[in-house]
Amino acid sequence: MALTQIIYEKNTYDLSYEIIHPSQKKTLFILHGWGANKELMKQAFAKEFPDFCHLYLDLPGFGKSNIIKAFQSKDYVNIIKKFLKEKKIHVDIYMGHSFGGKIAALLALEFKNSKLILLSNSGILAPKSLKIRLKIIIFKFLKIFGLGRLYRYFASKDAANLNTIMYQTFKNVVDEDLKDVFSKIETKTYIFWGIDDQATPLSSGEKMHQIIKNSQFYPLEGDHFFFLRHSAFIAKQIQG
């Protein structure tokens, strides 16, 4: 594990990262999802892609990387671009799970010569259930009476127990609709999805596949973390 400092918008951020197979010429950059960290992605893929240098990063606010103010998705993209530039790292494949997949897609949109691997990523909004809609209504009602501090009782599992900065960050990124962004992606894209995923439903992956023109879609057995048992299959499809 390594730690580096990146100055972004006059604040200094500590970014924790790890490189595996540093002698390989091509680089695979792997981003974790919301609430996770680089260790989860290493668990899945460290033994795969032996011909690639692996770069794993704790996104700001997760793992051992700090966060100073609430971020939006564009802030994550910008700080990663600065990190890659300062480290002089050229990425050949961007891979991301869930929220990390959304960030990977935004990065690949700018670096068109890189391939993209998406694992049950966010960015396609699915209709909210009646239970969730009722929670939102009740919480908005409580805020009128100054009881917004009770948000933990109404937040989703992803938002529970977050500090103020990360809760605001979650609100900034959770309901982004990136269909227009996905439609502009030209790079070769591989989309893998858990058939029983309840966090980002399979229908979102199917829509993403329709929107991203140069994409292949692989529905696989499992839930939101399906890739933990399908990492070898995923690597095989990419390296082909």
Side-chain angles (χ1 to χ4, degrees), residues 33-227:
W34 187 271
N37 55 49
K38 64 180 182 298
E39 301 304 319
L40 178 68
M41 308 311 288
K42 279 174 53 187
Q43 178 185 337
F45 294 105
K47 295 181 180 179
E48 309 299 338
F49 299 98
D51 296 330
F52 284 82
C53 168
H54 295 204
L55 172 60
Y56 299 90
L57 175 72
D58 281 338
L59 291 167
F62 301 96
K64 296 181 180 179
S65 294
N66 72 333
I67 192 167
I68 297 171
K69 66 173 187 176
F71 269 14
Q72 298 184 28
S73 291
K74 65 178 182 180
D75 295 305
Y76 282 100
V77 171
N78 290 337
I79 201 169
I80 288 172
K81 285 167 58 180
K82 190 165 187 182
F83 164 76
L84 294 173
K85 183 177 180 180
E86 291 189 10
K87 296 299 178 183
K88 298 180 180 179
I89 297 174
H90 169 76
V91 176
D92 297 277
I93 301 179
Y94 288 95
M95 176 194 288
H97 170 236
S98 194
F99 174 63
K102 178 165 63 175
I103 302 304
L106 290 168
L107 286 163
L109 185 63
E110 298 192 37
F111 300 99
K112 300 182 185 300
N113 292 327
S114 303
K115 291 183 180 179
L116 178 62
I117 305 173
L118 302 176
L119 310 173
S120 280
N121 67 295
S122 56
I124 298 290
L125 295 184
K128 290 182 172 63
S129 67
L130 176 60
K131 181 180 179 180
I132 292 176
R133 294 201 302 271
L134 285 173
K135 277 189 173 183
I136 293 172
I137 292 171
I138 294 171
F139 178 61
K140 287 182 177 179
F141 181 77
L142 289 173
K143 284 181 69 177
I144 295 175
F145 294 94
L147 298 175
R149 65 184 180 279
L150 298 177
Y151 74 86
R152 287 185 174 84
Y153 297 100
F154 296 88
S156 69
K157 291 181 180 179
D158 283 335
N161 301 317
L162 296 178
N163 61 37
T164 303
I165 292 176
M166 288 305 292
Y167 181 65
Q168 183 58 52
T169 297
F170 178 78
K171 291 200 298 181
N172 290 344
V173 304
V174 67
D175 284 332
E176 289 176 311
D177 187 347
L178 298 185
K179 288 196 292 291
D180 289 342
V181 170
F182 294 138
S183 68
K184 297 174 183 176
I185 293 176
E186 299 176 358
T187 189
K188 179 64 178 176
T189 303
Y190 301 84
I191 305 171
F192 300 89
W193 220 274
I195 292 173
D196 299 318
D197 194 331
Q198 300 299 311
T200 50
L202 184 64
S203 59
S204 294
E206 293 169 339
K207 289 179 183 177
M208 203 168 298
H209 174 44
Q210 294 173 355
I211 293 170
I212 301 176
K213 299 178 181 64
N214 190 17
S215 67
Q216 294 177 228
F217 183 61
Y218 301 88
L220 300 172
E221 293 294 330
D223 57 15
H224 195 52
F225 297 93
F226 71 96
F227 60 91

